[in-house]
Amino acid sequence: MMLTELRDRIAFVADPRVVLVFVLALGIGSEFASGSTVQLWSFVLINVLIAQSINLLTGVAGQISLGHAAFLGIGAYTSALLMKTWGVPLPVALVAATLLSAAAGWLLSFAAGRVREFYLAMMTLGFGMIFYELVREWTAVTGGVAGLSGVPAPSLKTLSLNGYAMGPVAYFQFMLAVTAVVMWQLRNFQTSTYGRAFFAIHASEVAAGSIGVARVGTKREAYTISAALTGLAGGFYAHLVGYLGPESFGLHRSVEALVMAVVGGLGSLSGPVLGAIVFTYLPEKLQFFADWQFMVYGLLLMVSFVLLPKGLAGLLLPRSRYIKASAQTGAQKLADKNSGIRSPAAPVTSETSGAALLVAKDIGLSFLGLRALDGVTLEIRPGQIIGLVGPNGSGKSTLVNVISGIYRPGAGTVTFDGKPISGLFDHEVARLGVLRTFQDPRLVPAFTVRENVLLGMHRLYRQGRVAAALNLPSAHREEAEMLERVNEALALAGLTALADMPVKDLPYGDQRMTELSRVLVADPRVVLLDEPAAGLSEGELVRLADVIRVLKGRGVSVVLIEHHMDFLDDLVDDVVVLDAGKMIYQGGMEGMYRNPAVIAAYLGREGRPEVTHA
Ligand code: ADP
Ligand code: MG
């Protein structure tokens, strides 16, 4: 409790205005500091960039790299050689270093699209090793083991910008300004839909796909941006030290980068800063550290994973925000202005209307010889609710997975709005407005209810990445509008009081309602609900039914998997009954109760299923 109080009390350090004052104070302070202090703080800045880069990749996007030293090296050698050999101006050399490293990260990311976890870690390790050997052997360019000296550097009085000689203090201030801008960009990114998509991929790739986030593209983006940041750090490093040798880019550097980010705290922007400060000071102040460095790093990694899973930042600072506070205020203003005059998003239709919107025809799918689905057909019109029932293991979830693009059907086709969708990826199906929930809720655990629901709107955002990164007024306005709609959905689902709670602290029923709201806000046209009532309280069941009726009222087609017949009686227009992958009944509820096949397979003589939730 005391720690929580302390954390709240120092929450102000993350305020952008406080950060700005701190940055200015550092810049001015460097004029009066000793040469060695300025040097040390210059290293802190470089380490901040490296740790942020690891954080973005690992802490935010959940991807692994054991070869980040290579990106540092690519940046360092690029900037050093461009300036030393061709006399390219410093800013151009640094931009080139950033871009070349980004390109390398982009290439490496193709591996991340194909392999995962352990194998990916090994691949990045291999990448780092190859780079290290390349630097040692390519003597003509890198100087080999003898290294590359004479790199323009402030300490040698050989670095200039725009014709002015740049001393160590001016170089520090230059790096400080650039790092501050980078941090501001990262902050905007983390609180934008693109940044939140990284967290979604981290938490569950399948869930991310279900809200329209492309997993391969997002991972590629994460590697590219992360490599760019470390490449920039490499450029800074080259000119700070004036000499590059292969030993600066070996495995220990990659490990050091990981340790900084992990011990500082993954998943937040302040964690990497804390990590960078600690791990620049420690080796400097503790001389014995040099000999035992690798061992100490190893120990710290082990200890922090066990004792401090969220690092120093998790211990000392309040949780990060993933929505801009200003956007939340904007949403409130919009709500006040619109109160009473707002109409529902789509025209209300009480009748089911028109031709079928979604048709899954003759679907077949086998898992290693097991016929999970065999000639199943499901048609649904706008505003229609279809109950999908059957014993456990009869293929209900599999049918939802086929429609939502997680599985390709072995036979048959799925069409939406007259166009085939059974060849599309799950995120492409989601972007069309065919949305689903999961049998076990899949949310971003560290996100609040509001942040999780906002994720559902990912497919509706119109702003580009640049507008998001610069936080342009148009992007800001859009964010406020999205949040206002999120607040409406939360009210409908009865989640308003819990909106700012991290979902991992909430009971199962609230998590289910959060996932349902994530679909509700996304302007769906078809909604597939996989046992949404499982584990809900009486009150929550009423809310669930309300939400489903609102969807119907908006003309949305709803497929509802459910075992409670009372719940279905009140809601559905028709039912489809599956048994062992085959469709044994299709039609109204009344007919179903009298159908011998359904009674035999599912309902029993009581007229109620003997199988309940697994
Ligand atoms: P339901 O949702 O109706 O309870 P499922 O669709 O989950 O049933 O499963 C239907 C059948 O397919 C079950 O026998 C299940 O074991 C099998 N199945 C589902 N997914 C897979 C999978 N990924 N690999 C192998 N078998 C699977
Ligand atoms: Mg199921």
Side-chain angles (χ1 to χ4, degrees), residues 365-368 370-373 388-401 407 439 530-531 561 563 578 580-581 614:
L365 183 65
S366 298
F367 295 113
L368 302 168
L370 173 100
R371 297 291 290 161
L373 291 173
L388 183 57
V389 300
N392 285 325
S394 57
K396 305 180 297 292
S397 294
T398 304
L399 182 61
V400 166
N401 286 337
Y407 299 143
Q439 195 164 346
D530 197 347
E531 304 201 18
I561 299 182
H563 292 292
L578 298 184

PDB file of all heavy atoms in Angstrom, residues 365-368 370-373 388-401 407 439 530-531 561 563 578 580-581 614, ligand 1:
ATOM      1  N   LEU A 365     -14.143 -29.548 -42.999  1.00  0.00           N
ATOM      2  CA  LEU A 365     -12.784 -29.344 -42.481  1.00  0.00           C
ATOM      3  C   LEU A 365     -12.385 -30.544 -41.635  1.00  0.00           C
ATOM      4  O   LEU A 365     -13.150 -30.995 -40.786  1.00  0.00           O
ATOM      5  CB  LEU A 365     -12.714 -28.069 -41.630  1.00  0.00           C
ATOM      6  CG  LEU A 365     -11.330 -27.702 -41.091  1.00  0.00           C
ATOM      7  CD1 LEU A 365     -10.375 -27.356 -42.221  1.00  0.00           C
ATOM      8  CD2 LEU A 365     -11.422 -26.529 -40.126  1.00  0.00           C
ATOM      9  N   SER A 366     -11.191 -31.073 -41.905  1.00  0.00           N
ATOM     10  CA  SER A 366     -10.703 -32.217 -41.121  1.00  0.00           C
ATOM     11  C   SER A 366      -9.439 -31.831 -40.380  1.00  0.00           C
ATOM     12  O   SER A 366      -8.615 -31.069 -40.890  1.00  0.00           O
ATOM     13  CB  SER A 366     -10.373 -33.391 -42.045  1.00  0.00           C
ATOM     14  OG  SER A 366     -11.525 -33.814 -42.717  1.00  0.00           O
ATOM     15  N   PHE A 367      -9.316 -32.357 -39.157  1.00  0.00           N
ATOM     16  CA  PHE A 367      -8.056 -32.253 -38.423  1.00  0.00           C
ATOM     17  C   PHE A 367      -7.463 -33.654 -38.344  1.00  0.00           C
ATOM     18  O   PHE A 367      -7.992 -34.489 -37.613  1.00  0.00           O
ATOM     19  CB  PHE A 367      -8.279 -31.722 -37.007  1.00  0.00           C
ATOM     20  CG  PHE A 367      -8.790 -30.323 -36.952  1.00  0.00           C
ATOM     21  CD1 PHE A 367     -10.068 -30.068 -36.490  1.00  0.00           C
ATOM     22  CD2 PHE A 367      -7.984 -29.258 -37.336  1.00  0.00           C
ATOM     23  CE1 PHE A 367     -10.538 -28.764 -36.412  1.00  0.00           C
ATOM     24  CE2 PHE A 367      -8.460 -27.963 -37.269  1.00  0.00           C
ATOM     25  CZ  PHE A 367      -9.739 -27.709 -36.800  1.00  0.00           C
ATOM     26  N   LEU A 368      -6.415 -33.905 -39.076  1.00  0.00           N
ATOM     27  CA  LEU A 368      -5.737 -35.209 -39.030  1.00  0.00           C
ATOM     28  C   LEU A 368      -6.743 -36.363 -39.068  1.00  0.00           C
ATOM     29  O   LEU A 368      -6.748 -37.231 -38.192  1.00  0.00           O
ATOM     30  CB  LEU A 368      -4.888 -35.321 -37.752  1.00  0.00           C
ATOM     31  CG  LEU A 368      -3.826 -34.258 -37.538  1.00  0.00           C
ATOM     32  CD1 LEU A 368      -3.278 -34.332 -36.120  1.00  0.00           C
ATOM     33  CD2 LEU A 368      -2.698 -34.405 -38.550  1.00  0.00           C
ATOM     34  N   LEU A 370      -9.883 -36.355 -38.461  1.00  0.00           N
ATOM     35  CA  LEU A 370     -11.134 -36.128 -37.724  1.00  0.00           C
ATOM     36  C   LEU A 370     -11.983 -35.123 -38.489  1.00  0.00           C
ATOM     37  O   LEU A 370     -11.532 -34.011 -38.751  1.00  0.00           O
ATOM     38  CB  LEU A 370     -10.818 -35.584 -36.325  1.00  0.00           C
ATOM     39  CG  LEU A 370     -12.041 -35.155 -35.522  1.00  0.00           C
ATOM     40  CD1 LEU A 370     -12.429 -36.235 -34.542  1.00  0.00           C
ATOM     41  CD2 LEU A 370     -11.784 -33.843 -34.814  1.00  0.00           C
ATOM     42  N   ARG A 371     -13.230 -35.567 -38.846  1.00  0.00           N
ATOM     43  CA  ARG A 371     -14.104 -34.644 -39.583  1.00  0.00           C
ATOM     44  C   ARG A 371     -14.722 -33.663 -38.589  1.00  0.00           C
ATOM     45  O   ARG A 371     -15.749 -33.958 -37.983  1.00  0.00           O
ATOM     46  CB  ARG A 371     -15.218 -35.412 -40.311  1.00  0.00           C
ATOM     47  CG  ARG A 371     -14.755 -36.379 -41.378  1.00  0.00           C
ATOM     48  CD  ARG A 371     -14.175 -35.710 -42.598  1.00  0.00           C
ATOM     49  NE  ARG A 371     -15.179 -35.015 -43.407  1.00  0.00           N
ATOM     50  CZ  ARG A 371     -14.877 -34.075 -44.287  1.00  0.00           C
ATOM     51  NH1 ARG A 371     -13.627 -33.688 -44.441  1.00  0.00           N
ATOM     52  NH2 ARG A 371     -15.820 -33.497 -45.001  1.00  0.00           N
ATOM     53  N   ALA A 372     -14.114 -32.494 -38.427  1.00  0.00           N
ATOM     54  CA  ALA A 372     -14.648 -31.514 -37.479  1.00  0.00           C
ATOM     55  C   ALA A 372     -15.884 -30.842 -38.059  1.00  0.00           C
ATOM     56  O   ALA A 372     -16.807 -30.483 -37.324  1.00  0.00           O
ATOM     57  CB  ALA A 372     -13.583 -30.480 -37.140  1.00  0.00           C
ATOM     58  N   LEU A 373     -15.894 -30.654 -39.386  1.00  0.00           N
ATOM     59  CA  LEU A 373     -17.064 -30.094 -40.067  1.00  0.00           C
ATOM     60  C   LEU A 373     -17.276 -30.887 -41.345  1.00  0.00           C
ATOM     61  O   LEU A 373     -16.318 -31.216 -42.044  1.00  0.00           O
ATOM     62  CB  LEU A 373     -16.850 -28.616 -40.414  1.00  0.00           C
ATOM     63  CG  LEU A 373     -16.795 -27.617 -39.252  1.00  0.00           C
ATOM     64  CD1 LEU A 373     -16.400 -26.238 -39.775  1.00  0.00           C
ATOM     65  CD2 LEU A 373     -18.131 -27.553 -38.520  1.00  0.00           C
ATOM     66  N   LEU A 388     -26.381 -21.168 -32.664  1.00  0.00           N
ATOM     67  CA  LEU A 388     -25.603 -22.311 -33.145  1.00  0.00           C
ATOM     68  C   LEU A 388     -25.410 -23.231 -31.953  1.00  0.00           C
ATOM     69  O   LEU A 388     -24.752 -22.839 -30.978  1.00  0.00           O
ATOM     70  CB  LEU A 388     -24.265 -21.815 -33.701  1.00  0.00           C
ATOM     71  CG  LEU A 388     -23.320 -22.834 -34.333  1.00  0.00           C
ATOM     72  CD1 LEU A 388     -23.992 -23.573 -35.483  1.00  0.00           C
ATOM     73  CD2 LEU A 388     -22.063 -22.138 -34.831  1.00  0.00           C
ATOM     74  N   VAL A 389     -26.044 -24.403 -31.995  1.00  0.00           N
ATOM     75  CA  VAL A 389     -26.002 -25.277 -30.822  1.00  0.00           C
ATOM     76  C   VAL A 389     -25.536 -26.676 -31.195  1.00  0.00           C
ATOM     77  O   VAL A 389     -25.453 -27.029 -32.374  1.00  0.00           O
ATOM     78  CB  VAL A 389     -27.379 -25.353 -30.106  1.00  0.00           C
ATOM     79  CG1 VAL A 389     -27.828 -23.981 -29.641  1.00  0.00           C
ATOM     80  CG2 VAL A 389     -28.423 -25.979 -31.011  1.00  0.00           C
ATOM     81  N   GLY A 390     -25.253 -27.437 -30.159  1.00  0.00           N
ATOM     82  CA  GLY A 390     -24.788 -28.805 -30.354  1.00  0.00           C
ATOM     83  C   GLY A 390     -23.878 -29.195 -29.206  1.00  0.00           C
ATOM     84  O   GLY A 390     -23.402 -28.324 -28.482  1.00  0.00           O
ATOM     85  N   PRO A 391     -23.668 -30.514 -29.031  1.00  0.00           N
ATOM     86  CA  PRO A 391     -22.826 -30.968 -27.925  1.00  0.00           C
ATOM     87  C   PRO A 391     -21.403 -30.428 -28.030  1.00  0.00           C
ATOM     88  O   PRO A 391     -20.979 -29.985 -29.101  1.00  0.00           O
ATOM     89  CB  PRO A 391     -22.821 -32.496 -28.085  1.00  0.00           C
ATOM     90  CG  PRO A 391     -23.809 -32.832 -29.127  1.00  0.00           C
ATOM     91  CD  PRO A 391     -24.151 -31.608 -29.875  1.00  0.00           C
ATOM     92  N   ASN A 392     -20.656 -30.498 -26.930  1.00  0.00           N
ATOM     93  CA  ASN A 392     -19.250 -30.106 -26.961  1.00  0.00           C
ATOM     94  C   ASN A 392     -18.505 -30.949 -27.986  1.00  0.00           C
ATOM     95  O   ASN A 392     -18.729 -32.152 -28.075  1.00  0.00           O
ATOM     96  CB  ASN A 392     -18.608 -30.294 -25.589  1.00  0.00           C
ATOM     97  CG  ASN A 392     -19.035 -29.214 -24.623  1.00  0.00           C
ATOM     98  OD1 ASN A 392     -19.229 -28.065 -25.018  1.00  0.00           O
ATOM     99  ND2 ASN A 392     -19.218 -29.584 -23.374  1.00  0.00           N
ATOM    100  N   GLY A 393     -17.664 -30.306 -28.759  1.00  0.00           N
ATOM    101  CA  GLY A 393     -16.885 -31.024 -29.762  1.00  0.00           C
ATOM    102  C   GLY A 393     -17.633 -31.250 -31.056  1.00  0.00           C
ATOM    103  O   GLY A 393     -17.158 -31.954 -31.944  1.00  0.00           O
ATOM    104  N   SER A 394     -18.816 -30.624 -31.223  1.00  0.00           N
ATOM    105  CA  SER A 394     -19.594 -30.862 -32.438  1.00  0.00           C
ATOM    106  C   SER A 394     -19.153 -29.967 -33.604  1.00  0.00           C
ATOM    107  O   SER A 394     -19.638 -30.135 -34.715  1.00  0.00           O
ATOM    108  CB  SER A 394     -21.086 -30.664 -32.152  1.00  0.00           C
ATOM    109  OG  SER A 394     -21.325 -29.370 -31.652  1.00  0.00           O
ATOM    110  N   GLY A 395     -18.251 -29.013 -33.346  1.00  0.00           N
ATOM    111  CA  GLY A 395     -17.714 -28.210 -34.445  1.00  0.00           C
ATOM    112  C   GLY A 395     -18.163 -26.752 -34.468  1.00  0.00           C
ATOM    113  O   GLY A 395     -17.884 -26.034 -35.434  1.00  0.00           O
ATOM    114  N   LYS A 396     -18.821 -26.288 -33.403  1.00  0.00           N
ATOM    115  CA  LYS A 396     -19.341 -24.915 -33.387  1.00  0.00           C
ATOM    116  C   LYS A 396     -18.208 -23.881 -33.476  1.00  0.00           C
ATOM    117  O   LYS A 396     -18.223 -22.985 -34.316  1.00  0.00           O
ATOM    118  CB  LYS A 396     -20.176 -24.677 -32.113  1.00  0.00           C
ATOM    119  CG  LYS A 396     -21.306 -25.684 -31.933  1.00  0.00           C
ATOM    120  CD  LYS A 396     -22.105 -25.430 -30.671  1.00  0.00           C
ATOM    121  CE  LYS A 396     -21.326 -25.563 -29.379  1.00  0.00           C
ATOM    122  NZ  LYS A 396     -20.882 -26.934 -29.045  1.00  0.00           N
ATOM    123  N   SER A 397     -17.225 -24.025 -32.568  1.00  0.00           N
ATOM    124  CA  SER A 397     -16.109 -23.075 -32.587  1.00  0.00           C
ATOM    125  C   SER A 397     -15.330 -23.181 -33.892  1.00  0.00           C
ATOM    126  O   SER A 397     -14.871 -22.172 -34.429  1.00  0.00           O
ATOM    127  CB  SER A 397     -15.160 -23.337 -31.419  1.00  0.00           C
ATOM    128  OG  SER A 397     -15.815 -23.070 -30.196  1.00  0.00           O
ATOM    129  N   THR A 398     -15.216 -24.389 -34.397  1.00  0.00           N
ATOM    130  CA  THR A 398     -14.482 -24.566 -35.649  1.00  0.00           C
ATOM    131  C   THR A 398     -15.179 -23.817 -36.789  1.00  0.00           C
ATOM    132  O   THR A 398     -14.518 -23.185 -37.619  1.00  0.00           O
ATOM    133  CB  THR A 398     -14.343 -26.068 -35.977  1.00  0.00           C
ATOM    134  OG1 THR A 398     -13.713 -26.713 -34.873  1.00  0.00           O
ATOM    135  CG2 THR A 398     -13.513 -26.292 -37.221  1.00  0.00           C
ATOM    136  N   LEU A 399     -16.514 -23.857 -36.810  1.00  0.00           N
ATOM    137  CA  LEU A 399     -17.246 -23.129 -37.850  1.00  0.00           C
ATOM    138  C   LEU A 399     -16.989 -21.623 -37.729  1.00  0.00           C
ATOM    139  O   LEU A 399     -16.764 -20.933 -38.729  1.00  0.00           O
ATOM    140  CB  LEU A 399     -18.750 -23.439 -37.753  1.00  0.00           C
ATOM    141  CG  LEU A 399     -19.624 -22.776 -38.822  1.00  0.00           C
ATOM    142  CD1 LEU A 399     -19.216 -23.226 -40.221  1.00  0.00           C
ATOM    143  CD2 LEU A 399     -21.109 -23.081 -38.594  1.00  0.00           C
ATOM    144  N   VAL A 400     -17.002 -21.117 -36.508  1.00  0.00           N
ATOM    145  CA  VAL A 400     -16.717 -19.694 -36.293  1.00  0.00           C
ATOM    146  C   VAL A 400     -15.288 -19.378 -36.757  1.00  0.00           C
ATOM    147  O   VAL A 400     -15.035 -18.357 -37.401  1.00  0.00           O
ATOM    148  CB  VAL A 400     -16.909 -19.311 -34.803  1.00  0.00           C
ATOM    149  CG1 VAL A 400     -16.298 -17.955 -34.495  1.00  0.00           C
ATOM    150  CG2 VAL A 400     -18.391 -19.309 -34.455  1.00  0.00           C
ATOM    151  N   ASN A 401     -14.353 -20.286 -36.463  1.00  0.00           N
ATOM    152  CA  ASN A 401     -12.970 -20.074 -36.895  1.00  0.00           C
ATOM    153  C   ASN A 401     -12.829 -20.077 -38.414  1.00  0.00           C
ATOM    154  O   ASN A 401     -12.016 -19.337 -38.965  1.00  0.00           O
ATOM    155  CB  ASN A 401     -12.049 -21.146 -36.290  1.00  0.00           C
ATOM    156  CG  ASN A 401     -11.803 -20.906 -34.811  1.00  0.00           C
ATOM    157  OD1 ASN A 401     -11.945 -19.781 -34.320  1.00  0.00           O
ATOM    158  ND2 ASN A 401     -11.455 -21.956 -34.086  1.00  0.00           N
ATOM    159  N   TYR A 407      -9.203 -20.557 -39.923  1.00  0.00           N
ATOM    160  CA  TYR A 407      -8.956 -21.771 -40.706  1.00  0.00           C
ATOM    161  C   TYR A 407      -9.476 -21.580 -42.126  1.00  0.00           C
ATOM    162  O   TYR A 407     -10.499 -20.943 -42.324  1.00  0.00           O
ATOM    163  CB  TYR A 407      -9.692 -22.978 -40.109  1.00  0.00           C
ATOM    164  CG  TYR A 407      -9.314 -23.361 -38.712  1.00  0.00           C
ATOM    165  CD1 TYR A 407     -10.266 -23.830 -37.817  1.00  0.00           C
ATOM    166  CD2 TYR A 407      -7.992 -23.269 -38.280  1.00  0.00           C
ATOM    167  CE1 TYR A 407      -9.928 -24.200 -36.530  1.00  0.00           C
ATOM    168  CE2 TYR A 407      -7.643 -23.628 -36.986  1.00  0.00           C
ATOM    169  CZ  TYR A 407      -8.618 -24.092 -36.118  1.00  0.00           C
ATOM    170  OH  TYR A 407      -8.277 -24.450 -34.845  1.00  0.00           O
ATOM    171  N   GLN A 439     -14.169 -18.199 -27.240  1.00  0.00           N
ATOM    172  CA  GLN A 439     -14.743 -19.012 -26.177  1.00  0.00           C
ATOM    173  C   GLN A 439     -14.080 -18.683 -24.828  1.00  0.00           C
ATOM    174  O   GLN A 439     -14.757 -18.617 -23.813  1.00  0.00           O
ATOM    175  CB  GLN A 439     -14.580 -20.495 -26.526  1.00  0.00           C
ATOM    176  CG  GLN A 439     -15.450 -21.374 -25.668  1.00  0.00           C
ATOM    177  CD  GLN A 439     -15.609 -22.773 -26.243  1.00  0.00           C
ATOM    178  OE1 GLN A 439     -15.292 -23.033 -27.410  1.00  0.00           O
ATOM    179  NE2 GLN A 439     -16.112 -23.677 -25.436  1.00  0.00           N
ATOM    180  N   ASP A 530     -18.972 -16.693 -29.507  1.00  0.00           N
ATOM    181  CA  ASP A 530     -18.701 -18.076 -29.121  1.00  0.00           C
ATOM    182  C   ASP A 530     -18.928 -18.253 -27.617  1.00  0.00           C
ATOM    183  O   ASP A 530     -18.083 -17.910 -26.807  1.00  0.00           O
ATOM    184  CB  ASP A 530     -17.267 -18.451 -29.505  1.00  0.00           C
ATOM    185  CG  ASP A 530     -17.050 -19.961 -29.509  1.00  0.00           C
ATOM    186  OD1 ASP A 530     -17.927 -20.678 -28.976  1.00  0.00           O
ATOM    187  OD2 ASP A 530     -16.026 -20.414 -30.030  1.00  0.00           O
ATOM    188  N   GLU A 531     -20.072 -18.791 -27.263  1.00  0.00           N
ATOM    189  CA  GLU A 531     -20.483 -19.003 -25.875  1.00  0.00           C
ATOM    190  C   GLU A 531     -20.290 -17.754 -25.008  1.00  0.00           C
ATOM    191  O   GLU A 531     -19.605 -17.799 -23.983  1.00  0.00           O
ATOM    192  CB  GLU A 531     -19.733 -20.198 -25.273  1.00  0.00           C
ATOM    193  CG  GLU A 531     -19.951 -21.463 -26.116  1.00  0.00           C
ATOM    194  CD  GLU A 531     -19.696 -22.748 -25.345  1.00  0.00           C
ATOM    195  OE1 GLU A 531     -19.681 -22.716 -24.107  1.00  0.00           O
ATOM    196  OE2 GLU A 531     -19.532 -23.793 -25.999  1.00  0.00           O
ATOM    197  N   ILE A 561     -23.494 -18.819 -30.238  1.00  0.00           N
ATOM    198  CA  ILE A 561     -23.295 -20.187 -29.736  1.00  0.00           C
ATOM    199  C   ILE A 561     -23.694 -20.202 -28.269  1.00  0.00           C
ATOM    200  O   ILE A 561     -23.216 -19.365 -27.493  1.00  0.00           O
ATOM    201  CB  ILE A 561     -21.820 -20.624 -29.878  1.00  0.00           C
ATOM    202  CG1 ILE A 561     -21.401 -20.604 -31.346  1.00  0.00           C
ATOM    203  CG2 ILE A 561     -21.617 -22.012 -29.266  1.00  0.00           C
ATOM    204  CD1 ILE A 561     -19.977 -21.061 -31.588  1.00  0.00           C
ATOM    205  N   HIS A 563     -25.585 -22.833 -24.898  1.00  0.00           N
ATOM    206  CA  HIS A 563     -26.199 -24.078 -24.432  1.00  0.00           C
ATOM    207  C   HIS A 563     -27.509 -23.850 -23.677  1.00  0.00           C
ATOM    208  O   HIS A 563     -28.304 -24.764 -23.541  1.00  0.00           O
ATOM    209  CB  HIS A 563     -25.243 -24.840 -23.505  1.00  0.00           C
ATOM    210  CG  HIS A 563     -24.039 -25.390 -24.212  1.00  0.00           C
ATOM    211  ND1 HIS A 563     -24.115 -26.407 -25.136  1.00  0.00           N
ATOM    212  CD2 HIS A 563     -22.736 -25.055 -24.144  1.00  0.00           C
ATOM    213  CE1 HIS A 563     -22.906 -26.691 -25.594  1.00  0.00           C
ATOM    214  NE2 HIS A 563     -22.046 -25.878 -25.007  1.00  0.00           N
ATOM    215  N   LEU A 578     -25.561 -28.668 -34.683  1.00  0.00           N
ATOM    216  CA  LEU A 578     -24.479 -29.514 -35.179  1.00  0.00           C
ATOM    217  C   LEU A 578     -24.329 -30.721 -34.265  1.00  0.00           C
ATOM    218  O   LEU A 578     -24.548 -30.638 -33.057  1.00  0.00           O
ATOM    219  CB  LEU A 578     -23.155 -28.749 -35.183  1.00  0.00           C
ATOM    220  CG  LEU A 578     -23.025 -27.505 -36.051  1.00  0.00           C
ATOM    221  CD1 LEU A 578     -21.595 -26.977 -35.974  1.00  0.00           C
ATOM    222  CD2 LEU A 578     -23.395 -27.803 -37.497  1.00  0.00           C
ATOM    223  N   ALA A 580     -21.297 -33.853 -34.148  1.00  0.00           N
ATOM    224  CA  ALA A 580     -20.117 -34.494 -34.746  1.00  0.00           C
ATOM    225  C   ALA A 580     -19.796 -33.926 -36.129  1.00  0.00           C
ATOM    226  O   ALA A 580     -19.524 -34.656 -37.070  1.00  0.00           O
ATOM    227  CB  ALA A 580     -20.319 -36.004 -34.817  1.00  0.00           C
ATOM    228  N   GLY A 581     -19.861 -32.615 -36.232  1.00  0.00           N
ATOM    229  CA  GLY A 581     -19.455 -31.949 -37.471  1.00  0.00           C
ATOM    230  C   GLY A 581     -20.540 -31.897 -38.535  1.00  0.00           C
ATOM    231  O   GLY A 581     -20.348 -31.286 -39.586  1.00  0.00           O
ATOM    232  N   ALA A 614     -18.245 -26.731 -21.136  1.00  0.00           N
ATOM    233  CA  ALA A 614     -17.083 -27.570 -20.844  1.00  0.00           C
ATOM    234  C   ALA A 614     -16.162 -26.859 -19.868  1.00  0.00           C
ATOM    235  O   ALA A 614     -16.087 -25.660 -19.859  1.00  0.00           O
ATOM    236  CB  ALA A 614     -16.332 -27.864 -22.129  1.00  0.00           C
TER     237      ALA A 614
HETATM  238  P1  ADP B   1     -17.356 -27.104 -30.140  1.00  0.00           P
HETATM  239  O1  ADP B   1     -17.002 -25.668 -30.219  1.00  0.00           O
HETATM  240  O2  ADP B   1     -18.629 -27.432 -30.816  1.00  0.00           O
HETATM  241  O3  ADP B   1     -17.336 -27.619 -28.730  1.00  0.00           O
HETATM  242  P2  ADP B   1     -14.946 -27.475 -31.651  1.00  0.00           P
HETATM  243  O4  ADP B   1     -15.286 -26.778 -32.910  1.00  0.00           O
HETATM  244  O5  ADP B   1     -14.072 -26.753 -30.709  1.00  0.00           O
HETATM  245  O6  ADP B   1     -16.272 -27.952 -30.912  1.00  0.00           O
HETATM  246  O7  ADP B   1     -14.258 -28.844 -31.985  1.00  0.00           O
HETATM  247  C1  ADP B   1     -14.777 -29.751 -32.936  1.00  0.00           C
HETATM  248  C2  ADP B   1     -13.829 -30.926 -33.038  1.00  0.00           C
HETATM  249  O8  ADP B   1     -12.645 -30.549 -33.697  1.00  0.00           O
HETATM  250  C3  ADP B   1     -13.432 -31.488 -31.690  1.00  0.00           C
HETATM  251  O9  ADP B   1     -13.345 -32.882 -31.796  1.00  0.00           O
HETATM  252  C4  ADP B   1     -12.075 -30.896 -31.475  1.00  0.00           C
HETATM  253  O10 ADP B   1     -11.297 -31.740 -30.664  1.00  0.00           O
HETATM  254  C5  ADP B   1     -11.530 -30.808 -32.890  1.00  0.00           C
HETATM  255  N1  ADP B   1     -10.614 -29.683 -33.060  1.00  0.00           N
HETATM  256  C6  ADP B   1     -10.917 -28.382 -32.956  1.00  0.00           C
HETATM  257  N2  ADP B   1      -9.856 -27.595 -33.216  1.00  0.00           N
HETATM  258  C7  ADP B   1      -8.837 -28.451 -33.500  1.00  0.00           C
HETATM  259  C8  ADP B   1      -7.465 -28.278 -33.841  1.00  0.00           C
HETATM  260  N3  ADP B   1      -6.926 -27.053 -33.987  1.00  0.00           N
HETATM  261  N4  ADP B   1      -6.718 -29.383 -34.059  1.00  0.00           N
HETATM  262  C9  ADP B   1      -7.250 -30.611 -33.945  1.00  0.00           C
HETATM  263  N5  ADP B   1      -8.532 -30.843 -33.614  1.00  0.00           N
HETATM  264  C10 ADP B   1      -9.320 -29.785 -33.395  1.00  0.00           C
END
